[in-house]
């Protein structure tokens, strides 16, 4: 197991290096000039050229790449071309909002989705199943910006129960932190609820048709016990996989929800950076994202051994 | 535990307190804090290195200026207590007000002013024009300094007090000694508010606290001049890219001010008594179209003249703003509603759109069917829509058009390419500036017709340049207006650019926010109060 983990971690470094190279090349191939954006619309070409030179953007691309990679190897993601703040600091400032939103979304989505999936599988083909799956189709179909605006209008403007937008750090209190997360996590959670519920149902249906379930039923084991202890555990691997993908996607930034609810998360950071070609920020965020993706995938793979003792690495 | 009606009521009461509690604390902070959603994120902190308006707003909060234009466009002393001009008009001596201090506690000295003027003069269009006539700028002692000119320059005080970017803000000598092309990251001024870096979250919110040491001029606030009294303890500029969210937040009382509202969202606020709407910038904004005059077909003046007849400003404006109360057509080179507005040589505008005439002019220009590349700005609806309409009209005039959709960063990168469109260059791009910016033929880089040394599009016309110099040297407003008239007469013959129309953005604020000063190029936050 330890060798497996070390091997995977080694592969992570290679993946991150390749991601770094690809991102750097693609970014610099795309049209855009941060010096021209910083200088403003009224700046003359001469002023822009002067600024470009000051920022080191005139250097050959291989020189710029090696300079950046050299810093990254030493743990330095560079500084923003615009604010001159360290990229690592900018990411850390935004990470709390993103991680908070991810946790709140999963806390909302996972229990509901698994319960829906289990019940739908148990009552497969009945009206209950159809209603639950209709709900999950709706969750997929409703875009986050439509649902987000609707919830915001109802709960924030009409009923004045929750705030429209913003994020409060947890250091300012649990309730202020949670209040700002309720609407975005429900908005975002609808898609994940739908996704996890459907996977759970499919996986459960497969397990419920197994011989050992029939045996358990024949022995007179109570239905809830069969569903949770026997079936759900054996259906767990695909469910863990989809939850893992969900975590990676959530940490990777959910730009629309962050924008609709004005949450200063990592997704917004990278979109803003792309709009103004803040290369060090874009490169740094994507590098961190790729690391998180690989780490979450590894954690998901390892979780299989807990769900299914037959799996060994 | 047994659940009784009493425990349920207790639980409900507790939940109510939890929901209400943050409201009370928010209400307390709300009375002393003004939360504002601006049109853009504050990308740079240096108001000299960039001409971005949002950085000028930041500058106006934390820095002060030597002079300022009041509401009647009269230049008044601000950081200067007194000044003298020699009889020959060549030597200006300025004395700083007593008690001026930077936010770090250091006094503002003449050396700070000298370094700041030099940095501004190296960067700003008007400053560069002035500095071609400057022999010396130097400190005489801690509180006085002089500017010695080679030739009289009547606009010198106007330039030092102008509120359009780049503004001559007074910085610490150490900051102002930085190369003007290198953006400074310090934000220490002597203005009415102090930048609170600890609570600022780059890309999200920028926090400014009242400067308790600031000594305002003992006059009422007027335009960019007068007493800059900070009435709120804190100003927060928020970056909220989604306009619908900002509108909802304003209605819910979570923010106090939105600088610009898209016309389609105005109806949501019009019936809401908790919100008021106001046009702060009375000269609005003008969209303009630049043509690459170095490459065919627009290296031929006939093709540029064709563009005057091709564009229907009302149609361009209506496509985005709908209701005519938000826009108007304008043929003045200096925008409409400004002091330099002129009616000279505008027959093409009065006659309305004439596609046949445009087609004939393109033919006279020897247009050979090579695709004309329009860089379509996708991030601003008015410019994106204008590009689509223009493409259609060009096609109707027999011009082969290629639309290249780009975001702003893509456009500003590509527009510096002077080459052929087929080799990565371009033929047309669009942008906009405030109406008052067009009113100044020296400060607005795009008013120059200096050829390849000038602004993107690179038009060249010797007479235009002579008139610009004459305008700057003119002794009074009436003389400048006369020269402006001549300049426009000439400009619509060689056509340095074409206008798309003039529009007026609406700001929205909570109905209890008062005292917002309407300036053409700036949203100042002094003098603003609640209640």
């Amino acid at each position: 197991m330890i060798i497996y983990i070390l091997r995977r971690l080694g592969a992570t470094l290679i993946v991150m290096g390749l991601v770094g190279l690809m991102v750097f090349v693609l970014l610099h191939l795309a049209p855009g000039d941060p010096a021209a954006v910083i200088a403003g619309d009224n700046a003359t070409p001469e002023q822009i050229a002067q600024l470009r030179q000051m920022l080191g953007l005139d250097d050959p691309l291989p020189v710029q790449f090696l300079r950046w990679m050299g810093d990254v190897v030493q743990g330095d993601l560079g500084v923003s071309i615009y604010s001159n703040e360290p990229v690592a600091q900018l990411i850390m400032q935004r990470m709390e909002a993103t991680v908070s939103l991810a946790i709140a979304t999963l806390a909302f989505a996972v229990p509901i989705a698994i319960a829906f999936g289990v019940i739908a599988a148990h009552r497969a083909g009945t009206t209950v199943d159809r209603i639950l799956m209709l709900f999950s189709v709706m969750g997929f179909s409703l875009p986050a910006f439509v649902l987000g605006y609707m919830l915001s209008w109802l709960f924030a403007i009409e009923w004045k129960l929750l705030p429209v937008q913003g994020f409060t750090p947890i250091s300012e209190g649990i309730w202020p932190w949670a209040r700002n997360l309720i609407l975005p996590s429900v908005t975002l959670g609808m898609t994940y609820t739908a996704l996890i519920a459907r996977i759970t149902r499919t996986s459960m249906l497969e397990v419920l048709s197994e011989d050992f379930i029939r045996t358990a039923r024949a022995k007179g084991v109570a239905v809830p016990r069969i569903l949770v202890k026997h079936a759900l555990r054996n259906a767990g691997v695909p469910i863990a996989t989809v939850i893992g993908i969900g975590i990676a996607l959530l940490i990777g930034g959910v730009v629309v929800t962050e924008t609709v609810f004005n949450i200063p998360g990592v997704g917004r950071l990278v979109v803003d950076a792309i709009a103004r070609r803040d290369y060090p920020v874009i490169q740094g965020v994507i590098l961190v994202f790729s690391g998180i993706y690989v780490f979450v995938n590894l954690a998901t793979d390892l979780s299989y051994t807990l769900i299914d003792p037959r799996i060994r690495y | 535990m047994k659940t009784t009606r009493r425990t349920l009521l207790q639980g409900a009461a507790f939940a109510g307190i939890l929901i209400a509690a943050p409201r009370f604390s928010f209400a307390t902070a709300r009375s002393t804090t003004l939360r504002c959603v601006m049109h853009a994120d504050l990308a740079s902190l240096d108001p000299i290195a960039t001409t971005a308006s949002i950085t000028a707003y930041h500058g106006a909060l934390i820095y002060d200026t030597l002079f300022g234009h009041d509401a009647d466009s009269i230049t008044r002393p601000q950081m200067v207590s007194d000044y003298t001009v020699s009889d020959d008009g060549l030597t200006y001596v300025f004395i700083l007000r007593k008690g001026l201090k930077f936010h770090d506690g250091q006094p503002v000295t003449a050396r700070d002013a000298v370094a700041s003027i030099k940095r501004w003069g190296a960067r700003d269009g008007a400053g560069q024009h002035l500095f071609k006539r400057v022999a010396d700028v130097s400190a005489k002692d801690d509180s006085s300094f002089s500017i010695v000119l080679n030739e009289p320059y009547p606009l010198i005080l106007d330039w030092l007090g102008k509120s359009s970017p780049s503004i001559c803000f007074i910085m610490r000598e150490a900051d102002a000694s930085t190369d003007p092309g290198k953006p400074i990251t310090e934000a220490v001024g002597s203005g009415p508010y102090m930048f609170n870096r600890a609570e600022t979250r780059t890309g999200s919110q920028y926090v400014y606290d009242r400067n308790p040491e600031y000594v305002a001029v003992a006059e009422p606030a007027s335009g960019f001049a007068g007493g800059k009294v900070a009435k709120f303890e804190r100003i927060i500029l928020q970056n909220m890219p989604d306009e619908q969210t900002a509108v909802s937040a304003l209605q819910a009382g979570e923010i106090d001010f939105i600088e610009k509202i898209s016309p389609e969202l105005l109806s949501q606020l019009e019936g809401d008594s908790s919100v008021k709407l106001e046009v702060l910038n009375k000269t609005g904004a003008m969209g303009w179209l630049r043509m690459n005059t170095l490459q065919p077909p627009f290296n031929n003046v006939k093709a540029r003249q064709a563009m005057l007849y091709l564009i229907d400003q009302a149609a361009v404006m209506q496509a985005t703003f709908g209701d005519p109360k938000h826009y108007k057509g304008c043929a003045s080179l200096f925008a409409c509603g400004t002091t330099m507005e002129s009616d000279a040589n505008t027959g093409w505008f009065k006659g309305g759109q004439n596609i046949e005439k445009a087609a004939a002019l393109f033919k006279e220009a020897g247009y050979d069917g090579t695709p004309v590349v329009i860089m379509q700005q996708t991030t601003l609806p008015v410019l994106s829509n204008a590009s689509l309409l223009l493409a259609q009209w060009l096609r109707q005039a027999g011009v082969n058009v290629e639309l290249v959709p780009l975001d702003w960063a893509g456009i500003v990168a590509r527009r510096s390419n002077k080459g052929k469109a087929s080799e990565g260059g371009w033929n047309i791009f669009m942008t906009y500036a405030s109406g008052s910016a067009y009113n100044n033929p020296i400060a607005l880089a795009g008013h120059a017709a200096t050829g390849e040394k000038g602004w993107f599009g690179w038009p060249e016309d010797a007479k235009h340049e002579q008139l610009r110099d004459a305008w700057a040297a003119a002794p009074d407003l009436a003389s400048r207006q006369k020269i402006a008239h001549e300049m426009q007469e000439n400009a619509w013959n060689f056509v340095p650019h074409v206008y798309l129309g003039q529009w007026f953005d609406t700001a929205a604020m909570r109905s209890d926010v008062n005292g917002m000063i309407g300036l053409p190029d700036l949203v100042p936050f002094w003098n603003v109060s609640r209640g």
Side-chain angles (χ1 to χ4, degrees), chain B residues 270-295:
Chain B
E270 275 164 350
D272 189 336
S273 60
S274 67
V275 171
K276 60 184 178 188
L277 303 168
E278 202 175 327
V279 175
L280 293 173
N281 177 0
K282 300 290 190 287
T283 58
M286 288 267 279
W288 56 339
L289 174 160
R290 297 287 288 193
M291 298 156 282
N292 184 348
T293 61
L294 302 178
Q295 299 295 337

mmCIF file of all heavy atoms in Angstrom, chain B residues 270-295:
data_model
loop_
_atom_site.group_PDB
_atom_site.id
_atom_site.type_symbol
_atom_site.label_atom_id
_atom_site.label_comp_id
_atom_site.label_asym_id
_atom_site.label_seq_id
_atom_site.Cartn_x
_atom_site.Cartn_y
_atom_site.Cartn_z
ATOM 1 N N GLU B 270 -36.760 50.714 -10.774
ATOM 2 C CA GLU B 270 -37.516 51.963 -10.935
ATOM 3 C C GLU B 270 -38.686 52.113 -9.967
ATOM 4 O O GLU B 270 -38.992 53.211 -9.535
ATOM 5 C CB GLU B 270 -37.958 52.123 -12.394
ATOM 6 C CG GLU B 270 -36.844 52.763 -13.225
ATOM 7 C CD GLU B 270 -36.993 52.628 -14.727
ATOM 8 O OE1 GLU B 270 -37.881 51.867 -15.183
ATOM 9 O OE2 GLU B 270 -36.209 53.257 -15.454
ATOM 10 N N GLY B 271 -39.305 51.020 -9.578
ATOM 11 C CA GLY B 271 -40.433 51.141 -8.652
ATOM 12 C C GLY B 271 -40.058 50.927 -7.192
ATOM 13 O O GLY B 271 -40.926 50.888 -6.324
ATOM 14 N N ASP B 272 -38.782 50.798 -6.908
ATOM 15 C CA ASP B 272 -38.338 50.472 -5.551
ATOM 16 C C ASP B 272 -38.015 51.768 -4.793
ATOM 17 O O ASP B 272 -37.059 52.470 -5.114
ATOM 18 C CB ASP B 272 -37.086 49.574 -5.645
ATOM 19 C CG ASP B 272 -36.681 49.015 -4.289
ATOM 20 O OD1 ASP B 272 -37.026 49.629 -3.266
ATOM 21 O OD2 ASP B 272 -36.011 47.968 -4.268
ATOM 22 N N SER B 273 -38.808 52.062 -3.759
ATOM 23 C CA SER B 273 -38.631 53.332 -3.040
ATOM 24 C C SER B 273 -37.374 53.356 -2.181
ATOM 25 O O SER B 273 -36.945 54.416 -1.727
ATOM 26 C CB SER B 273 -39.847 53.602 -2.164
ATOM 27 O OG SER B 273 -39.976 52.542 -1.228
ATOM 28 N N SER B 274 -36.762 52.187 -1.961
ATOM 29 C CA SER B 274 -35.559 52.161 -1.128
ATOM 30 C C SER B 274 -34.303 52.491 -1.945
ATOM 31 O O SER B 274 -33.207 52.563 -1.409
ATOM 32 C CB SER B 274 -35.387 50.785 -0.478
ATOM 33 O OG SER B 274 -35.105 49.821 -1.461
ATOM 34 N N VAL B 275 -34.508 52.693 -3.239
ATOM 35 C CA VAL B 275 -33.367 52.916 -4.142
ATOM 36 C C VAL B 275 -33.630 54.162 -4.982
ATOM 37 O O VAL B 275 -34.778 54.443 -5.326
ATOM 38 C CB VAL B 275 -33.208 51.686 -5.077
ATOM 39 C CG1 VAL B 275 -32.199 51.946 -6.166
ATOM 40 C CG2 VAL B 275 -32.806 50.456 -4.271
ATOM 41 N N LYS B 276 -32.572 54.928 -5.262
ATOM 42 C CA LYS B 276 -32.753 56.039 -6.200
ATOM 43 C C LYS B 276 -31.744 55.926 -7.339
ATOM 44 O O LYS B 276 -30.648 55.379 -7.155
ATOM 45 C CB LYS B 276 -32.661 57.390 -5.498
ATOM 46 C CG LYS B 276 -31.354 57.685 -4.800
ATOM 47 C CD LYS B 276 -31.449 59.024 -4.069
ATOM 48 C CE LYS B 276 -30.170 59.317 -3.311
ATOM 49 N NZ LYS B 276 -30.268 60.496 -2.456
ATOM 50 N N LEU B 277 -32.147 56.459 -8.482
ATOM 51 C CA LEU B 277 -31.324 56.364 -9.689
ATOM 52 C C LEU B 277 -30.865 57.760 -10.101
ATOM 53 O O LEU B 277 -31.637 58.720 -9.971
ATOM 54 C CB LEU B 277 -32.128 55.731 -10.831
ATOM 55 C CG LEU B 277 -32.702 54.338 -10.539
ATOM 56 C CD1 LEU B 277 -33.703 53.934 -11.612
ATOM 57 C CD2 LEU B 277 -31.587 53.307 -10.472
ATOM 58 N N GLU B 278 -29.650 57.864 -10.565
ATOM 59 C CA GLU B 278 -29.128 59.182 -10.906
ATOM 60 C C GLU B 278 -28.062 59.050 -11.994
ATOM 61 O O GLU B 278 -27.237 58.136 -11.946
ATOM 62 C CB GLU B 278 -28.500 59.788 -9.638
ATOM 63 C CG GLU B 278 -28.384 61.278 -9.666
ATOM 64 C CD GLU B 278 -27.876 61.831 -8.327
ATOM 65 O OE1 GLU B 278 -28.193 61.251 -7.267
ATOM 66 O OE2 GLU B 278 -27.142 62.827 -8.371
ATOM 67 N N VAL B 279 -28.083 59.967 -12.949
ATOM 68 C CA VAL B 279 -26.987 60.032 -13.933
ATOM 69 C C VAL B 279 -25.944 60.982 -13.354
ATOM 70 O O VAL B 279 -26.173 62.181 -13.249
ATOM 71 C CB VAL B 279 -27.490 60.535 -15.306
ATOM 72 C CG1 VAL B 279 -26.322 60.717 -16.271
ATOM 73 C CG2 VAL B 279 -28.491 59.547 -15.889
ATOM 74 N N LEU B 280 -24.801 60.430 -12.931
ATOM 75 C CA LEU B 280 -23.776 61.258 -12.290
ATOM 76 C C LEU B 280 -22.885 61.944 -13.319
ATOM 77 O O LEU B 280 -22.483 63.082 -13.139
ATOM 78 C CB LEU B 280 -22.911 60.398 -11.357
ATOM 79 C CG LEU B 280 -23.623 59.834 -10.114
ATOM 80 C CD1 LEU B 280 -22.714 58.872 -9.367
ATOM 81 C CD2 LEU B 280 -24.055 60.962 -9.187
ATOM 82 N N ASN B 281 -22.577 61.223 -14.380
ATOM 83 C CA ASN B 281 -21.713 61.790 -15.417
ATOM 84 C C ASN B 281 -22.580 62.409 -16.503
ATOM 85 O O ASN B 281 -23.091 61.714 -17.380
ATOM 86 C CB ASN B 281 -20.813 60.691 -15.989
ATOM 87 C CG ASN B 281 -19.941 61.198 -17.123
ATOM 88 O OD1 ASN B 281 -19.996 62.368 -17.493
ATOM 89 N ND2 ASN B 281 -19.136 60.320 -17.687
ATOM 90 N N LYS B 282 -22.725 63.724 -16.428
ATOM 91 C CA LYS B 282 -23.668 64.399 -17.328
ATOM 92 C C LYS B 282 -23.162 64.472 -18.772
ATOM 93 O O LYS B 282 -23.943 64.732 -19.682
ATOM 94 C CB LYS B 282 -23.955 65.827 -16.824
ATOM 95 C CG LYS B 282 -24.565 65.875 -15.411
ATOM 96 C CD LYS B 282 -25.991 65.337 -15.410
ATOM 97 C CE LYS B 282 -26.713 65.591 -14.098
ATOM 98 N NZ LYS B 282 -26.261 64.758 -12.972
ATOM 99 N N THR B 283 -21.867 64.275 -18.981
ATOM 100 C CA THR B 283 -21.372 64.273 -20.366
ATOM 101 C C THR B 283 -21.300 62.848 -20.920
ATOM 102 O O THR B 283 -20.900 62.643 -22.064
ATOM 103 C CB THR B 283 -19.981 64.932 -20.506
ATOM 104 O OG1 THR B 283 -19.068 64.246 -19.659
ATOM 105 C CG2 THR B 283 -20.025 66.395 -20.141
ATOM 106 N N GLY B 284 -21.675 61.890 -20.114
ATOM 107 C CA GLY B 284 -21.797 60.520 -20.586
ATOM 108 C C GLY B 284 -20.513 59.917 -21.131
ATOM 109 O O GLY B 284 -19.404 60.321 -20.754
ATOM 110 N N ALA B 285 -20.706 58.958 -22.020
ATOM 111 C CA ALA B 285 -19.570 58.279 -22.651
ATOM 112 C C ALA B 285 -19.821 58.237 -24.150
ATOM 113 O O ALA B 285 -20.971 58.262 -24.596
ATOM 114 C CB ALA B 285 -19.438 56.871 -22.098
ATOM 115 N N MET B 286 -18.744 58.213 -24.922
ATOM 116 C CA MET B 286 -18.869 58.148 -26.386
ATOM 117 C C MET B 286 -18.118 56.907 -26.875
ATOM 118 O O MET B 286 -16.949 56.705 -26.526
ATOM 119 C CB MET B 286 -18.210 59.362 -27.037
ATOM 120 C CG MET B 286 -18.964 60.662 -26.865
ATOM 121 S SD MET B 286 -20.082 60.981 -28.248
ATOM 122 C CE MET B 286 -18.959 61.642 -29.453
ATOM 123 N N GLY B 287 -18.810 56.116 -27.689
ATOM 124 C CA GLY B 287 -18.127 54.997 -28.330
ATOM 125 C C GLY B 287 -17.436 55.512 -29.584
ATOM 126 O O GLY B 287 -17.955 56.394 -30.266
ATOM 127 N N TRP B 288 -16.259 55.007 -29.869
ATOM 128 C CA TRP B 288 -15.578 55.418 -31.098
ATOM 129 C C TRP B 288 -14.938 54.238 -31.782
ATOM 130 O O TRP B 288 -14.628 53.228 -31.157
ATOM 131 C CB TRP B 288 -14.604 56.563 -30.888
ATOM 132 C CG TRP B 288 -13.509 56.401 -29.867
ATOM 133 C CD1 TRP B 288 -13.476 55.545 -28.818
ATOM 134 C CD2 TRP B 288 -12.301 57.175 -29.786
ATOM 135 N NE1 TRP B 288 -12.335 55.734 -28.084
ATOM 136 C CE2 TRP B 288 -11.597 56.721 -28.653
ATOM 137 C CE3 TRP B 288 -11.762 58.188 -30.549
ATOM 138 C CZ2 TRP B 288 -10.367 57.252 -28.281
ATOM 139 C CZ3 TRP B 288 -10.536 58.715 -30.163
ATOM 140 C CH2 TRP B 288 -9.853 58.262 -29.046
ATOM 141 N N LEU B 289 -14.769 54.438 -33.065
ATOM 142 C CA LEU B 289 -14.266 53.382 -33.939
ATOM 143 C C LEU B 289 -12.947 53.871 -34.528
ATOM 144 O O LEU B 289 -12.893 54.950 -35.112
ATOM 145 C CB LEU B 289 -15.329 53.179 -35.008
ATOM 146 C CG LEU B 289 -15.164 52.282 -36.190
ATOM 147 C CD1 LEU B 289 -16.558 51.975 -36.716
ATOM 148 C CD2 LEU B 289 -14.346 52.918 -37.283
ATOM 149 N N ARG B 290 -11.907 53.095 -34.335
ATOM 150 C CA ARG B 290 -10.595 53.470 -34.875
ATOM 151 C C ARG B 290 -10.293 52.596 -36.089
ATOM 152 O O ARG B 290 -10.551 51.385 -36.066
ATOM 153 C CB ARG B 290 -9.511 53.278 -33.818
ATOM 154 C CG ARG B 290 -9.675 54.141 -32.597
ATOM 155 C CD ARG B 290 -9.351 55.591 -32.852
ATOM 156 N NE ARG B 290 -7.928 55.837 -33.021
ATOM 157 C CZ ARG B 290 -7.387 57.059 -33.014
ATOM 158 N NH1 ARG B 290 -8.146 58.136 -32.837
ATOM 159 N NH2 ARG B 290 -6.095 57.226 -33.173
ATOM 160 N N MET B 291 -9.736 53.227 -37.082
ATOM 161 C CA MET B 291 -9.367 52.485 -38.292
ATOM 162 C C MET B 291 -7.854 52.487 -38.413
ATOM 163 O O MET B 291 -7.215 53.498 -38.075
ATOM 164 C CB MET B 291 -9.972 53.190 -39.523
ATOM 165 C CG MET B 291 -11.486 53.225 -39.500
ATOM 166 S SD MET B 291 -12.163 54.588 -40.490
ATOM 167 C CE MET B 291 -11.931 55.998 -39.429
ATOM 168 N N ASN B 292 -7.297 51.394 -38.881
ATOM 169 C CA ASN B 292 -5.850 51.343 -39.091
ATOM 170 C C ASN B 292 -5.531 52.140 -40.360
ATOM 171 O O ASN B 292 -5.735 51.658 -41.481
ATOM 172 C CB ASN B 292 -5.378 49.892 -39.225
ATOM 173 C CG ASN B 292 -3.864 49.798 -39.335
ATOM 174 O OD1 ASN B 292 -3.190 50.811 -39.531
ATOM 175 N ND2 ASN B 292 -3.336 48.597 -39.195
ATOM 176 N N THR B 293 -5.028 53.357 -40.160
ATOM 177 C CA THR B 293 -4.792 54.257 -41.305
ATOM 178 C C THR B 293 -3.483 53.935 -42.029
ATOM 179 O O THR B 293 -3.144 54.598 -43.010
ATOM 180 C CB THR B 293 -4.759 55.724 -40.840
ATOM 181 O OG1 THR B 293 -3.682 55.875 -39.917
ATOM 182 C CG2 THR B 293 -6.054 56.129 -40.159
ATOM 183 N N LEU B 294 -2.763 52.918 -41.523
ATOM 184 C CA LEU B 294 -1.498 52.549 -42.188
ATOM 185 C C LEU B 294 -1.722 51.496 -43.263
ATOM 186 O O LEU B 294 -0.833 51.228 -44.068
ATOM 187 C CB LEU B 294 -0.501 52.012 -41.149
ATOM 188 C CG LEU B 294 -0.146 52.940 -39.981
ATOM 189 C CD1 LEU B 294 0.818 52.250 -39.027
ATOM 190 C CD2 LEU B 294 0.464 54.237 -40.499
ATOM 191 N N GLN B 295 -2.892 50.841 -43.233
ATOM 192 C CA GLN B 295 -3.154 49.727 -44.150
ATOM 193 C C GLN B 295 -4.401 49.989 -44.986
ATOM 194 O O GLN B 295 -5.315 50.689 -44.528
ATOM 195 C CB GLN B 295 -3.357 48.430 -43.339
ATOM 196 C CG GLN B 295 -2.159 48.005 -42.503
ATOM 197 C CD GLN B 295 -0.950 47.623 -43.358
ATOM 198 O OE1 GLN B 295 -1.089 47.269 -44.534
ATOM 199 N NE2 GLN B 295 0.232 47.695 -42.773
#
